[in-house]
Amino acid sequence: MTKRVRKAVVPVAGLGTRVLPGSKTTPKELLNVVDRPILSYVVEEARAAGIEHFVFVTGRGKGAIEDYFDHHIELEAQLAAKGKTDILADVVRDLPKPGEMSFVRQMAPLGLGHAVWCARDIIGDEPFAVILPDMLMMAKTSAMAQVVQAHEKVGGNIIAVEPAPAGETHKYGIVALDGREGRLNRMTGMVEKPPLGTEPSNLLISGRYVLQPEIFALLARQGKGAGGEIQLTDSMVELMKAQTFHALEYDGITYDCGDKIGLLRANVAFALARPDLADAARAAIRDLL
Ligand code: UTP
């Protein structure tokens, strides 16, 4: 029997260099897509996957994330007094139950692997989800739920993947598969940003994982890898010597909101997908074009 995935690590301590200067004072994970911060969509996706506890790995200047997931007494009282009940409902929609979220400081953005390691004490000895919040996913069934379902089926470690745009595999973490049949396949390796022509497949690592707790011991002694950062990929490659990894080609579309054009695309796509905004959004886009 596989243990249920109850907790998610959400690393939010990165510098957001690609969307500066906006991310200088607003954490990039709180930038709006239409009218909600990116993290609002991500938390909703994770809850739909059965996640009960969120561990945010934060850093300097990210305090607004904690505030977003807490009551704003004055604002809520004002909205209630003015009878703006719809807006009030939207404002409190993402609030956790008390105790459902933890915040740990990474203290220096040494890389994704280091960020995940910072959550070790709160996760303890159980399988857990990792969600990279800047990868925003539009899917009929929550992307994280698809990964959790795959874990319930085959156990071990699961990584969500998707086809990379043609000629762009060198920009991503890429997986190697032991044969490719259907959407869930056993992995034999993975590599961070392989030079063009050396990529083991066209499938990039999308930013949703289920990992086993044994990863923490490997992260503890992981040295710097690609880009001088402590890479999660390097420890996953180590763990693969002892445990199974499966890649799930998840059903949905990813928007990289850590990138200027990715964020723009996400705004357009999510506005067009909103019944209350689709017509006006389409008219505005047509007008601009
Ligand atoms: P990214 O590499 O996309 O984020 O990491 P970044 O470093 O903020 O972006 P750029 O390259 O400077 O524009 C993916 C996720 O991992 C977090 C980031 O906050 C982001 O959500 N992260 C990354 C950490 O929490 N700590 C790190 O040391 C690195």
Side-chain angles (χ1 to χ4, degrees), residues 10-20 28-29 57-58 62 106 108-116 131-135 229-230 256 258-259:
V10 188
V12 292
L15 296 177
T17 322
R18 290 166 294 157
V19 285
L20 278 169
K28 73 169 174 180
E29 299 81 6
V57 182
T58 73
K62 301 278 180 160
Q106 190 184 8
L110 300 180
L112 179 59
H114 183 260
V116 171
I131 303 182
L132 303 193
D134 44 3
M135 303 301 263
E229 295 194 345
I230 298 175
D256 181 0
D259 169 82

Side-chain angles (χ1 to χ4, degrees), residues 124-141:
D125 189 26
E126 54 184 278
F128 62 101
V130 175
I131 303 182
L132 303 193
D134 44 3
M135 303 301 263
L136 186 55
M137 291 172 175
M138 191 185 274
K140 278 203 192 81
T141 303

Side-chain angles (χ1 to χ4, degrees), residues 18-245:
R18 290 166 294 157
V19 285
L20 278 169
S23 52
K24 180 178 160 191
T25 46
T26 304
K28 73 169 174 180
E29 299 81 6
L30 287 185
L31 294 175
N32 262 10
V33 168
V34 190
D35 55 358
R36 311 193 69 79
I38 293 165
L39 275 180
S40 166
Y41 297 89
V42 167
V43 164
E44 196 167 76
E45 177 196 327
R47 286 194 172 126
I51 297 300
E52 296 166 357
H53 192 100
F54 292 85
V55 185
F56 290 95
V57 182
T58 73
R60 270 180 74 79
K62 301 278 180 160
I65 294 174
E66 266 183 80
D67 290 340
Y68 180 76
F69 289 108
D70 195 4
H71 284 290
H72 187 318
I73 305 289
E74 242 174 70
L75 176 66
E76 290 168 27
Q78 286 283 338
L79 291 171
K82 290 188 171 146
K84 298 194 171 173
T85 46
D86 286 0
I87 302 178
L88 177 58
D90 248 356
V91 164
V92 298
R93 182 171 113 184
D94 295 323
L95 293 187
K97 293 190 199 85
E100 205 182 53
M101 290 183 171
S102 303
F103 296 83
V104 291
R105 294 279 280 221
Q106 190 184 8
M107 299 168 82
L110 300 180
L112 179 59
H114 183 260
V116 171
W117 179 72
C118 290
R120 66 199 178 282
D121 279 349
I122 304 172
I123 296 299
D125 189 26
E126 54 184 278
F128 62 101
V130 175
I131 303 182
L132 303 193
D134 44 3
M135 303 301 263
L136 186 55
M137 291 172 175
M138 191 185 274
K140 278 203 192 81
T141 303
S142 143
M144 195 65 238
Q146 295 178 44
V147 178
V148 167
Q149 279 159 18
H151 174 255
E152 282 161 5
K153 204 162 146 194
V154 296
N157 302 268
I158 313 284
I159 297 183
V161 297
E162 65 195 279
E168 293 195 10
T169 44
H170 63 295
K171 296 182 182 168
Y172 300 96
I174 301 291
V175 300
L177 300 179
D178 180 23
R180 194 163 169 182
E181 203 186 308
R183 287 180 168 271
L184 184 62
N185 289 288
R186 178 92 184 249
M187 286 171 54
T188 55
M190 66 194 104
V191 53
E192 206 46 62
K193 301 190 171 83
L196 274 178
T198 68
E199 66 276 7
S201 77
N202 70 334
L203 294 175
L204 67 87
I205 298 175
S206 306
R208 300 291 183 272
Y209 316 69
V210 168
L211 296 176
Q212 298 297 324
E214 287 75 18
I215 193 84
F216 292 123
L218 301 171
L219 286 169
R221 49 172 208 262
Q222 183 66 59
K224 288 180 183 168
E229 295 194 345
I230 298 175
Q231 297 282 356
L232 181 61
T233 309
D234 293 339
S235 287
M236 291 195 295
V237 168
E238 272 304 300
L239 187 58
M240 203 181 290
K241 292 176 185 162
Q243 296 187 0
T244 60
F245 273 73

